[in-house]
């Protein structure tokens, strides 16, 4: 099997069922653009006519929660983001230039873990946290920066 229109997919596990039928598993590459691609079969006798295989876009990620939803100034907070349509290569962003996000790990299509580092000088208040994949950027959930507590004497 081959794709003559672009490098959007590859074939594996090709099986000849009978002289008029084959089965194959097509793997759509992560960078494939949505739309039609032509698939052909090549044998020692030549190449078949093309048939159309349509690449359907992945849905945009959605976020439903972040846990914990807050962290104190001067801490690194391990968070779990819950939602849908997360994919390999997803990134997590947070509004507010002082806060950084690291250690982003895809657990499954519905969960990502990450570390939000809140510097001691970060302004207290809400931040928007989003997940971005090749399909787009999710809605935001709120992570709140809490002021450092005063020391007990």
């Amino acid at each position: 099997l081959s794709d003559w229109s672009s490098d959007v997919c590859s074939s594996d596990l090709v099986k000849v069922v009978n002289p008029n039928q084959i089965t194959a598993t097509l793997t759509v590459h992560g960078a494939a653009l949505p739309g039609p691609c032509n698939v052909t079969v090549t044998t020692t006798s030549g190449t078949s006519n093309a048939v159309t295989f349509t690449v359907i876009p992945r849905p945009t990620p959605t976020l439903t929660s972040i846990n914990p939803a807050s962290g104190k100034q001067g801490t690194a907070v391990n968070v779990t983001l819950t939602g849908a349509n997360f994919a390999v290569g997803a990134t997590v962003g947070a509004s507010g230039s002082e806060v950084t996000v690291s250690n982003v790990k895809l657990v499954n299509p519905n969960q990502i873990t990450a570390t939000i580092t809140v510097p001691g000088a970060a302004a207290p208040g809400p931040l928007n946290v989003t997940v971005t994949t090749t399909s787009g950027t999710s809605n935001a959930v709120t992570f709140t920066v809490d002021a450092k507590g005063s020391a007990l004497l």
Side-chain angles (χ1 to χ4, degrees):
L1 290 176
S2 61
D3 169 22
W4 285 54
S5 61
S6 64
D7 293 326
V8 298
C9 60
S10 59
S11 58
D12 195 15
L13 304 173
V14 178
K15 179 181 176 188
V16 176
V17 177
N18 61 50
N20 299 313
Q21 181 181 0
I22 64 170
T23 61
T25 300
L26 296 179
T27 302
V28 178
H29 302 299
L33 296 175
C37 65
N38 294 323
V39 177
T40 58
V41 176
T42 302
T43 68
T44 56
S45 300
T47 301
S48 72
N49 60 307
V51 294
T52 301
F53 175 82
T54 303
V55 176
I56 299 171
R58 289 182 181 185
T60 303
T62 57
L63 268 174
T64 54
S65 66
I66 184 170
N67 188 33
S70 64
K72 291 189 183 282
Q73 294 167 314
T75 62
V77 183
N78 294 320
V79 297
T80 300
L81 300 157
T82 304
N85 307 317
F86 301 155
V88 172
T91 59
V92 176
S95 63
S97 60
E98 302 135 341
V99 173
T100 59
V101 180
S102 61
N103 303 320
V104 176
K105 291 186 179 115
L106 176 68
V107 176
N108 60 53
N110 302 313
Q111 191 175 75
I112 290 177
T113 59
T115 302
I116 296 178
T117 301
V118 183
L127 302 175
N128 290 324
V129 175
T130 57
V131 171
T132 300
T133 69
T134 56
S135 299
T137 300
S138 72
N139 57 298
V141 294
T142 302
F143 179 86
T144 303
V145 174
D146 295 327
K148 290 181 191 175
S150 55
L152 297 174
L153 300 176

